[in-house]
Amino acid sequence: MNTFNTVEELIQILDANPELLEALRARILTEELLNLPQAHAEFVAEMRGFVAKMNDFVETMNEFVATTDRNFQRLSNDFGNFRGAFAETAVEKNSIVIVMDLSEATGLGLDELTARNLKQKDLVAVARRSGDTSDLSRGELRSFYQSDLVIEANDVNGETHYIAVEASYTCNGRDTTRAISHARLLKRFTGLPAHPVVAGVRRDIGIEPDIEDGKVFWHQIDEDQLKP
């Protein structure tokens, strides 16, 4: 029989006799503790499987979110285009009202009964008759020809005025820049007064200074006018 007097001697005996070590372990430890290494290994395996599934789920969700964002952005862009198109239609239908409002606000004395909406071919003819387009880029001319609306109207003295209108659901700096540029070209091509106008349901705060300074006239479109 193995005997010992110190803990060190016991450890030496257990190291030399693995069967004694297992017997001592079984006597001291509970079954749960004895099975803990195996349970831990099984738990680790389950967690690895769970993490792998979660990674797959997260990747799938990321793809879903990205696809949803693209679709939402596409719908938002389409909706914005529709609203912009309706805004252009609204100003074309209400060109006489624009002439009346502009005349009243500025004291120009415009006769709304003389108002007519110019077509794209009219703008091309105006530019060509002037013979003053050599320094303009293709993009500048194309932008002018694609004006949302140009109105021609006479004042009480019979002088012709042009009104360059840019329409958007929410007007911003791009609209004011285009309206001012197109009005400037109309005056240059014809030698006659031309007035920039932006028309919309809403307007960005960034264009307020140009409106307040009279650089561009604001025409309010009612939401109901956009209904087809």
Side-chain angles (χ1 to χ4, degrees):
M1 174 180 290
N2 294 314
T3 59
F4 60 91
N5 296 314
T6 64
V7 173
E8 288 76 9
E9 290 178 351
L10 173 61
I11 292 174
Q12 290 176 359
I13 292 171
L14 293 175
D15 288 342
N17 299 274
E19 67 280 2
L20 293 179
L21 177 60
E22 288 300 323
L24 181 61
R25 181 182 291 114
R27 180 65 62 88
I28 296 176
L29 301 178
T30 64
E31 183 177 354
E32 288 79 6
L33 288 176
L34 290 173
N35 293 331
L36 187 59
Q38 178 62 29
H40 175 70
E42 292 174 356
F43 173 75
V44 170
E46 289 179 3
M47 283 303 298
R48 286 174 178 171
F50 174 76
V51 170
K53 291 180 180 179
M54 285 301 298
N55 287 337
D56 292 340
F57 174 76
V58 170
E59 183 177 353
T60 301
M61 286 302 299
N62 286 337
E63 293 176 2
F64 172 77
V65 170
T67 301
T68 302
D69 286 344
R70 287 195 298 270
N71 291 337
F72 181 79
Q73 186 61 50
R74 188 180 299 113
L75 289 173
S76 178
N77 292 339
D78 291 344
F79 185 61
N81 292 335
F82 281 126
R83 292 197 306 186
F86 279 125
E88 292 181 25
T89 301
V91 296
E92 289 178 2
K93 290 182 177 179
N94 292 276
S95 57
I96 289 180
V97 176
I98 293 176
V99 173
M100 293 172 60
D101 289 349
L102 177 63
S103 181
E104 181 180 349
T106 59
L108 291 172
L110 299 176
D111 182 2
E112 61 272 11
L113 295 180
T114 65
R116 74 181 185 97
N117 297 347
L118 299 187
K119 298 180 179 179
Q120 195 171 73
K121 64 180 182 180
D122 297 323
L123 299 180
V124 175
V126 166
R128 288 183 178 177
R129 281 198 302 267
S130 73
D132 186 22
T133 62
S134 59
D135 64 324
L136 297 175
S137 68
R138 177 184 176 87
E140 288 173 310
L141 286 173
R142 184 183 293 267
S143 175
F144 174 69
Y145 299 150
Q146 294 175 339
S147 297
D148 289 346
L149 175 64
V150 173
I151 308 169
E152 182 184 84
N154 296 335
D155 62 20
V156 292
N157 298 318
E159 183 179 28
T160 299
H161 292 245
Y162 292 97
I163 304 171
V165 185
E166 288 299 310
S168 293
Y169 185 88
T170 301
C171 291
N172 55 29
R174 177 180 180 275
D175 299 301
T176 56
T177 298
R178 281 173 56 87
I180 292 171
S181 174
H182 297 166
R184 186 181 299 116
L185 288 177
L186 282 165
K187 183 176 182 179
R188 169 177 164 175
F189 293 153
T190 66
L192 298 170
H195 314 281
V197 173
V198 289
V201 176
R202 300 172 184 156
R203 63 194 192 196
D204 284 350
I205 192 172
I207 68 174
E208 294 291 345
D210 287 340
I211 295 173
E212 293 175 359
D213 293 342
K215 294 180 180 179
V216 63
F217 178 75
W218 166 253
H219 176 74
Q220 179 73 47
I221 298 176
D222 294 331
E223 186 87 40
D224 290 342
Q225 293 179 258
L226 302 184
K227 295 180 179 179

